[in-house]
Amino acid sequence: MHKPAEALDFALRETSPNIGAGAVMRDKLSCTYDLVEQMQYLYVRVVKAKDLPGKDVTGGVDPYVEVKLGNYKGLTKHFEKKSNPQWNQVFAFSKERIQASVLELVIKDKDVVVDDFVGRVMFDINEIPKRVPPDSPLAPQWYRLEDRRGDKAKGELMLAVWMGTQADEAFPDAWHSDAATVGPEAVANIRSKVYLSPKLWYVRVNVIEAQDLVPSDKTRYPEVFVKANLGIQFLRTRVSQSKTINPMWNEDLMFVAAEPFEEPLVLTAEDRVGPNKDEILGRCLIPLHNVQRRLDHKPVNTKWFNLEKHVVVEGEQKKETKFSSRIHLRVCLEGGYHVLDESTHYSSDLRPTAKQLGKASIGILEVGIISAQGLMPMKTRDGRGTTDAYCVAKYGQKWIRTRTIVDSLAPRWNEQYIWEVFDPCTVITVGVFDNGHLHGGDKSGGSKDSRIGKVRIRLSTLEADRVYTYSYPLLVLYNSGVKKMGEVQLAVRFTSLSLINMLCMYSQPLLPKMHYIHPLSVIQQDSLRHQAIQIVSMRLSRAEPPLRKEVVEYMLDVDSHMWSMRRSKANFFRITKVLGGLIAFGRWFDQICNWKNPLTSILIHILFIILVLYPELILPTIFLYLFMVGIWNFRWRPRHPPHMDTRLSHADAAHPDELDEEFDTFPTSRSSDMVRMRYDRLRSIAGKVQTVVGDLATQGERFHNLLSWRDTRATTLFVTFCFIAAIVLYVTPFQVVFLLIGFYVLRHPRFRQKHPSVPFNYFKRLPARVDSIL
């Protein structure tokens, strides 16, 4: 059978890039940079100049260097009135685009009208030396300047020129000829960088009690609660049940904090004096760097904190000198938890916050980001569609960002990165984005980096030491439906350091032990994960170049918890497929019972008799069967890593209105008629779910009423049956009873009746509490 063209378009493709991995002959580069194709570059490091002649009226010079290679021209920054400037800038020219035979470096004097010529140095391309890491960097040398006629001129220029590859240390920070159209103010936005997520901690605040509070109105019973905030996070306790000036709560509040700790923890005791009116009774500030760090479940020491009463005098806060009120707290930084900033279903890191609780690495993950093909134009420039693409990969705390390839629908990055692996049951995420900040994007306001698509790869699905080279479809869901934005070509290799240690990981808990000793509620986990994402995105957006908020949120699936009709359908059919095996077994057993194939039914009777007469063979037979099925399925094991599946996601068959609802903001921004229609649809679905849940509850209540005497006649029948069955089973061998029951179930159709069995009829007549519901 041929797959439909649409399915093939969204499918994974195995590729054969020209990379060093697997090659018989390996040079120095392919030993460390063997998952990407080699790209040759001409590097020019302009270090400094000396003894430059004066050019203006005052005898000074405002020098800069122009590096020219054919049609490509790179410029250093210029200095005011300096005859011995220092630049230390690197320029990289892609060899495949070099058409000139001469490299020319010209020192010019910056002028208002026309820049003056100071001197130049020229190189023949064919005579430039090659250098491959781990060779030491080429030492810069002094070169005497020449005038336009080729004669010696005053002044010298220190520089180094060599042919290298993208493995060169100078590559990430170099000016690239590929990005010659990018202005100097935006160059920082196109460079490759490695980022580290901030170290996140859970902050647990156990609010125990307060003493000697001083409410302004002493004639009423105070209704006191404690409000706590950490940065942009706000939580509060319930109103104390003991309505006195010494209230008690004993409530836990959980926050997320990131190192270095910038904001203090602020707790405020407030009295609810009326509807939407609260009076502040006292406040305390707790710097987090003074808070005790807890590594296990043992409780930390409690501590009393003074509540400072603030009064407002002419718009300014004035602190009272008396410390009459105080609050009793137990505050700690939880080092035994892993702070979740990703969904647990595809998390890339599961280690606890405290490093001393972590385990040694079990392997190494290497990813070569080779190229992309067929990207969709993401914006218009000079009347034509274009894309400035870069990749972001996230695994553990380490984020990487490739350089931006300017104005290309088929960019080639060929950058390789490495991560330590601490758990094989983790996922690496690779996203492709369009850079919206190259041409004054930062100043234009509201400009964002557009998502092109992302790929998730689960490490446990990779064979150790095998290089996977595949082209992954980049799929994005829009209001109009799923759209293929192109393909990204990756080379992935997972290397295991110890097979025994890796296999032992499958017996360990997925999350640190504190998640099971003191588990967080589902609501707490969702709230804390949202706060963690906000903190990580805020910190990374302050880096240089920034990893922007929209990029971080897309990589971390910030909206994965939101309602989606499409995703609900996908999960329903996933459950159906999981239960499909049980349904298939039930159909097969029904065929056995109805003697559809007499030979199979006879064989099942013989197997049943053997297992009843020799019950010690039951478990070995079951495990042997599972072993044989596993060995048989090994022949058809998946050879390709999983990828985004449009059919599984129900993205290819989603109704436009369902997609519009999925992309709606929260709270909704749609019209009241649209919201009413969707609400009615949701009520209809909820009504069906309600019916199914009610039926399940009915069956459970009937089972409970077997012995509850709610129906005295039914319970009498059941109790009598149990008494007779007990006597019969006491005097009859169990194997005989089991054989009789088995033969009864497997009996021939001529001994069966069309109407339901007696036990089924009896159970359906048992009472349930459904008739007591309004």
Side-chain angles (χ1 to χ4, degrees), residues 196-257:
L196 289 177
S197 291
K199 188 176 182 180
L200 300 176
W201 293 81
Y202 283 144
V203 183
R204 187 186 295 272
V205 184
N206 179 221
V207 184
I208 303 171
E209 59 181 328
Q211 280 188 357
D212 304 327
L213 298 178
V214 185
S216 57
D217 185 0
K218 297 182 173 55
T219 61
R220 53 179 288 279
Y221 294 110
E223 299 181 13
V224 185
F225 63 92
V226 174
K227 186 187 292 181
N229 82 282
L230 181 62
I232 58 172
Q233 305 169 69
F234 290 85
L235 292 174
R236 47 164 289 179
T237 67
R238 66 183 187 279
V239 174
S240 174
Q241 298 297 315
S242 53
K243 298 183 178 181
T244 66
I245 60 171
N246 299 314
M248 298 186 69
W249 297 277
N250 197 26
E251 276 190 57
D252 272 359
L253 306 176
M254 294 284 285
F255 298 92
V256 179

Side-chain angles (χ1 to χ4, degrees), residues 581-592:
L582 292 174
I583 295 170
F585 177 80
R587 289 173 181 165
W588 173 81
F589 189 73
D590 185 63
Q591 291 178 355
I592 298 297

